[in-house]
Amino acid sequence: MTEFIEFDRLTIENIESKLNEELVATEELLQHLVKEPTSSWLNIMQPLQNQLYSLNKVWGVVGHLQSVKDSPELRELHDKFLPKLTELYVNLGQNQDLYRHIQHINDNELSSLNLEQQKVIANEIRDFRLSGITLPKDKQIKFKEIQNRLSELSTKFEHNVLDATDTYVKYVTIDDLVGVPEDSIAMYKAMAEVENHDGYKITLHMPSYLPIMQYADNRQLREELYKAYSIRASEMSNDGKFDNSKVIDEILNLRKEKSLLLGFNNYAELSLYSKMADTPQQVLDFLYDLANKAKPYALNDIEELSLFAKDLSGVENLSSWDIPYYSEKLQQHKYSYSSNELKQYFQLPKVLDGLYKLIDNLYQVTFTPNSDMPKWHNDVTTYNVVSDNKIIGHIYFDLYAREGKQPGAWMNSAQDRNFDNGQSNLPIAYIICNFTKPVGDKPSLLSFDDTQTLFHEIGHGLHHLLTVINNSGISGINGVEWDAVELPSQFMEYFAWDYSILETITSHIETGEVLPRKFFDKILASRYYQSGMMTIRQLEFSIFDLRLHGNESNINYLSVLDDVRKDVSVVIPPSYNRFPNSFGHIFGGGYAAGYYSYKWAEVLACDVFSVFDGRSGAELRELGQKYLHNILSQGGVRPMMNNFIEFMGREPKLDALLKYSGLVS
């Protein structure tokens, strides 16, 4: 019987009590371990891993709740314990007695350990090095100060973005919303009514923001929202109250200082030390090579859009707030459908139902509802994950946008699979999205992008849930190289382009009709619509990130972005744009000097999917089992390149990425 987190009974007080309890237990164990005379897996690694697992699970609840149900009390709790947790882990990484124990296990017991345990030991020794274990005492103290401060700063960065997003509200009249789809208007109306306010409420959360940018004929409204969105968490919004400018500067300086302490030339080198890629230059070469291939297509895209906007509305100079609007209009003009028209076929319950059928077909795994799993919000739905009539894991879905919830979409672990250390813990995943909430008795309707996002996050979830690795340190997505971890998620996205799959996930909101084949043919014709522009945009972010962290001297991050845009971009935003100030992936999340991972992993994902493309029935099931066995279930026990070669019989090629991105003649 799995013990679920009691979200329905959690209070700030009992989380705090449990955290204190786990911290005391961890400190007591460490005091015992350093005096332990025998260095062995059983005496050292097993109790250490079990206790850290227990502590991380409680701390993970705090981080999770902050992202889905933020509150001042939760922030206060987080800020109170963050320095304690950071201090604990920095001390762990610099604990000479523990390091000696693990070196002794490595030198004397390795051959008697299983493959998973050997990999855990190798990772531990690597991580000790990256924690400054070999530094002299004064530099270890400095390293500890840097780690503590970086931890505080990344939290502050995310809080600033969320607060800046939450504080913007605009009320408009129905006349301001000409062109906007009815379901979005109903949402704006419902949001205003909750506040007992007349009119229609617009916020900067994506389900509210995007329909204005794509559909509102009111160009002034689009410009106002674009500016508000693009200056979030900068000196220009909220009187600078949530300004991330100084936070970014300090993060960059501290990351550079930390890298130099550890003997790297810059933070990019440090970041790549545990990734698939070898050097920053290798990654930059890859990114610029792709940019050179994509840029001619991107230039064609923007030229076509500019001419269209001029012909349609007499717009001489296309501005950033015009691009989503005219892109939508051009798509309708070229392919005779609109994103909103397409949306009517993608009812969330139906999409989920078809997605579950696909997962069952590929991996013989089913999701069955479990009403016994406590929830943090009424929007959440909960399931058992079942294989061969056996429960192998559990999953939470929290799919709708709301205030106090971080924007975006992600998968996170509520619990890792862990059977290696005398424990029996099944994997549990959170799938979090920010789709439009149902209004009245109508279900949430997904855009095609939303649908791909859901497939993407489920891909991460399956990577976490279907692991057969028994040691939590390398089970699921743990221990997988950061630039390979997107392979299973991006692989799943490509199934959304398969008509046989679309037949199972679509049902028109009014007629119940499956997406017609002729409509799908239009979507297929538009598959590569503006793919040059989209590819270049992602490469812009990736190159900016790597150049920012590959610099060996102090730099102005906005100047770096300007330089990158001059090199590769085809759309230059207004000078007031402060995109980096809300770039949470690299300043609040784990993608620093690793944003390129999306493209790097996409090469792998496209290559793998090319084997599945067009397959069905028994052939698809057979391939699914092979992929599950060689890649999806293997966790971090061996390098992803080995897994890939095992499945494909060769090293990756760029061909499939170029094909599926429409970047071939």
Side-chain angles (χ1 to χ4, degrees), residues 138 186 210 263 278 287 304 406 424 481 504 509 534 538 568:
D138 60 328
L210 194 58
D278 295 324
L287 295 172
E304 180 185 40
Q406 290 280 3
S424 299
E481 302 99 317
T504 68
I509 185 76
M534 285 186 279
Q538 207 169 5
V568 299

Side-chain angles (χ1 to χ4, degrees), residues 576-631:
Y576 61 68
N577 182 290
R578 292 291 184 271
F579 160 72
N581 288 52
S582 58
F583 195 6
H585 278 80
I586 70 169
F587 296 120
Y591 280 87
Y595 195 79
Y596 76 90
S597 302
Y598 284 104
K599 274 296 166 204
W600 189 273
E602 199 177 347
V603 172
L604 308 176
C606 289
D607 217 354
V608 169
F609 182 78
S610 67
V611 178
F612 286 76
D613 202 355
R615 308 294 175 92
S616 60
E619 200 176 16
L620 184 66
R621 283 192 291 278
E622 192 180 321
L623 277 172
Q625 287 303 302
K626 185 183 176 189
Y627 170 73
L628 173 63
H629 175 70
N630 289 323
I631 293 178

